[in-house]
C-alpha cells in the first residue's frame, strides 16, 4: 500500500518537482498551493504524512500546523527558510515532527519521510497489547499513546518516539546519536538541534519537574528519571 503524502507548497515549480520525485519513489502525492486547501485535505484524512511550507500566501504554515494539532496527530515535516532558527523553534513548539531547510534536496526529503513512516509502522506492528508503566506514565503501543496519571499526553509522532525510547531505557543514559537514530531514524549531524527542541517540548508537557525527569548528561545524551 502506498504511503500518502500531502505536499503544501505555494512555489509551483518546487511543488511539482517534489511531487514528481516523491511519486517516482512510490508515494501517492496530493498537492495544495495554499494553507486553507492544505488544511482541508489534511483534516479530510486524505494523507498519512504532511510536508508543509511555512511561508504560504493565505495563512502561514505555522497556523495550519496549529489547526492540525487541535484535531489530529498526523506527522508533519516543515519546509523552512535556511538558517531561520526562529521558525524551526516555533514549529517544534507548535507540534512539528521534523523540518528540512529550503531549498531542499528531494532525496533527503524522501529519506526523512520514509524514516518517520517506517518508525510509526514498526511501532504498530509489535507488542500491540503490551502496556508498560514507568511511575506515573503508561505507554500503550497499540494506540501510540502515553498517559500521565490516566490523562493522555498531547504528543506529536516524534515526541512519542523520543519519550518511549527514553522510558524503555529509564535510569540509563541514552546517547544523543542513538536517540536520534532510534526515534527519528536518521543520523545526528553537527549543529542539528532537532532533538534538543523535542526534549524541551517534552519537559514542558511532562510538567517541568525540578529536577527534570528528562536529565541532560553533558557530552553524552539524556536519561529519564522515574519520579519517586
Amino acid at each position: 500500500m502506498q504511503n500518502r503524502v500531502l505536499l503544501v507548497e505555494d512555489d509551483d515549480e518546487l511543488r511539482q518537482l517534489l511531487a514528481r520525485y516523491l511519486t517516482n519513489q512510490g508515494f501517492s502525492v496530493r498537492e495544495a498551493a495554499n494553507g486553507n486547501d492544505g488544511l482541508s485535505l489534511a483534516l479530510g484524512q486524505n494523507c498519512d504524512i504532511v510536508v508543509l511550507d511555512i511561508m504560504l500566501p493565505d495563512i502561514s504554515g505555522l497556523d495550519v500546523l496549529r489547526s492540525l494539532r487541535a484535531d489530529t496527530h498526523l506527522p508533519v515535516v516543515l519546509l523552512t527558510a535556511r538558517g531561520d532558527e526562529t521558525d524551526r523553534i516555533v514549529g517544534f513548539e507548535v507540534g512539528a515532527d521534523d523540518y528540512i531547510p529550503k531549498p531542499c534536496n528531494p532525496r533527503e526529503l524522501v529519506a526523512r519521510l520514509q524514516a518517520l513512516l517506517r518508525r510509526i509502522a514498526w511501532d504498530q506492528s509489535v507488542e500491540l497489547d503490551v502496556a508498560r508503566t514507568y511511575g506515573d506514565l503508561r505507554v500503550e503501543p497499540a494506540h501510540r499513546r502515553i498517559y500521565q496519571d490516566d490523562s493522555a499526553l498531547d504528543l506529536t509522532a516524534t515526541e512519542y518516539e523520543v519519550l518511549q525510547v527514553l522510558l524503555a531505557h529509564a535510569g540509563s543514559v541514552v546517547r544523543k546519536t542513538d536517540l536520534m537514530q532510534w526515534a527519528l531514524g536518521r543520523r545526528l549531524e553537527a549543529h542539528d538541534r532537532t532533538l534538543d527542541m523535542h526534549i524541551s517540548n517534552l519537559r514542558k508537557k511532562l510538567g517541568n519537574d525540578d529536577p527534570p525527569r528528562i536529565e541532560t548528561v553533558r557530552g553524552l545524551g539524556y536519561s529519564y528519571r522515574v519520579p519517586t
Side-chain angles (χ1 to χ4, degrees):
M1 183 176 179
Q2 287 183 310
N3 286 311
R4 302 169 301 168
V5 179
L6 172 60
L7 182 56
V8 187
E9 166 62 62
D10 66 313
D11 184 323
D12 292 339
E13 184 176 355
L14 176 60
R15 188 183 66 255
Q16 292 165 10
L17 169 68
L18 294 177
R20 285 195 301 271
Y21 192 88
L22 288 167
T23 299
N24 289 337
Q25 296 299 311
F27 289 89
S28 172
V29 182
R30 300 199 69 172
E31 302 177 40
N34 61 66
N36 282 310
D37 287 348
L39 182 59
S40 296
L41 288 171
L43 292 177
Q45 299 181 340
N46 293 303
C47 60
D48 301 307
I49 193 166
V50 180
V51 178
L52 176 63
D53 187 22
I54 285 184
M55 299 297 293
L56 294 169
D58 49 354
I59 57 176
S60 77
L62 293 176
D63 286 335
V64 173
L65 181 56
R66 288 187 183 94
S67 296
L68 282 177
R69 284 295 169 256
D71 294 291
T72 177
H73 290 86
L74 267 175
V76 176
V77 176
L78 289 180
L79 297 178
T80 69
R82 187 173 296 277
D84 196 333
E85 186 75 4
T86 300
D87 275 350
R88 290 198 284 273
I89 292 173
V90 175
F92 281 121
E93 289 176 343
V94 173
D97 291 285
D98 204 351
Y99 77 92
I100 294 183
K102 295 170 63 177
C104 68
N105 184 320
R107 186 175 178 181
E108 181 182 3
L109 175 60
V110 167
R112 298 282 187 94
L113 296 178
Q114 288 176 334
L116 186 51
L117 289 167
R118 186 166 53 244
R119 184 67 192 185
I120 293 172
W122 184 86
D123 280 346
Q124 293 174 338
S125 68
V126 299
E127 298 185 314
L128 294 184
D129 59 345
V130 181
R132 301 183 297 274
T133 302
Y134 306 86
D136 61 345
L137 298 187
R138 185 177 77 258
V139 181
E140 294 193 356
H143 304 101
R144 288 182 58 81
R145 290 285 188 272
I146 298 179
Y147 293 82
Q148 184 174 30
D149 293 327
D150 295 324
S151 296
L153 292 171
D154 186 16
L155 305 178
T156 67
T158 301
E159 289 168 355
Y160 169 87
E161 299 295 350
V162 172
L163 184 52
Q164 65 95 12
V165 169
L166 290 173
L167 289 172
H169 298 82
S172 302
V173 178
V174 181
R175 301 179 69 89
K176 289 184 70 172
T177 52
D178 292 335
L179 186 55
M180 191 75 170
Q181 188 68 56
W182 295 338
L184 280 81
R186 59 185 174 88
R187 298 169 65 179
L188 180 66
E189 298 179 357
H191 311 299
D192 187 344
R193 295 193 58 231
T194 303
L195 194 54
D196 301 324
M197 293 175 184
H198 286 306
I199 293 293
S200 176
N201 287 342
L202 282 171
R203 284 172 173 156
K204 293 174 185 176
K205 293 180 179 183
L206 289 168
N208 283 319
D209 299 81
D210 187 17
R213 61 176 72 196
I214 300 178
E215 300 175 324
T216 300
V217 182
R218 189 174 298 277
L220 288 177
Y222 300 100
S223 176
Y224 184 87
R225 175 187 58 84
V226 178
T228 56

